[in-house]
Amino acid sequence: MALVKYNNNSISAVTSAASMSSGAMTHIKTLTASSSATLSFVHGSSDVVLDSTYPIYIFKFINIHPATDATKFTFNGSDDDSSHSYDVPKTSCALAAFHHESAPGGPHGNEIFQYNGGSDLGNGTGFQHLSGPGDSGADADQSQNGELWLFKPSSTTFITHWKSDMSNSGAGAGSSAGTADQAITAGYFNTAEDITAIQFKQSSGNLDSGKIKLYGIKDS
């Protein structure tokens, strides 16, 4: 099969968005935290779209700063179109890695990669941890960043799968203090009902500042 090479003239010949792939991300909504107890994306409210318009949704977390030290960034979903109670059963698994800014850095040395059993759920209705393995720090220069992918939340045939990748600055004492933490988490909402709202919050205290951006991806 022949290779096709593009040059500057080829790129400049693209004159409209219609010429580009239909699988590009489309920005839907940005929420900004300001001493906020929660940030919620509810379909049909404040221009939020969370239905069959897109088969894949992505939430981007940018410099989420917790007001309280040593807490975790969490999320939950709702399949209730009226009261939006965030208590959908979830089953999940979590992997964790951290590297301490100074050796040896705790009982496991200055680095570790492991299954993070403290952040998984077995058909639990509580809020799912997204950050970890240590708790997130609330120092002035510390924050949480990452993304959450949601697959076909409008389906009433299949359960809705999700996956996340988070980076945060570790807080607290011992092995979690002064660490670069990564948490990779995946799971599913154990219901065939459509997921119509997603809520984010810290495990304790407010979201002091930061942005959460919602995007949709069309079928390519």
Side-chain angles (χ1 to χ4, degrees), residues 162-174:
W162 54 266
K163 67 174 184 177
S164 71
D165 191 346
M166 288 289 296
S167 171
N168 66 275
S169 308

Side-chain angles (χ1 to χ4, degrees), residues 5 42 82 86 154 196 212-213:
K5 295 182 66 177
V42 179
S82 55
Y86 295 94
S154 64
T196 58
I212 302 180
K213 292 179 173 288

Side-chain angles (χ1 to χ4, degrees), residues 4-49:
V4 177
K5 295 182 66 177
Y6 291 95
N7 54 33
N8 290 337
N9 291 334
S10 303
I11 300 302
S12 64
V14 177
T15 57
S16 69
S19 303
M20 305 302 287
S21 169
S22 61
M25 289 198 307
T26 300
H27 177 253
I28 298 172
K29 184 74 176 181
T30 297
L31 295 182
T32 301
S34 179
S35 298
S36 307
T38 62
L39 290 179
S40 304
F41 292 81
V42 179
H43 174 67
S45 175
S46 301
D47 300 321
V48 172
V49 175

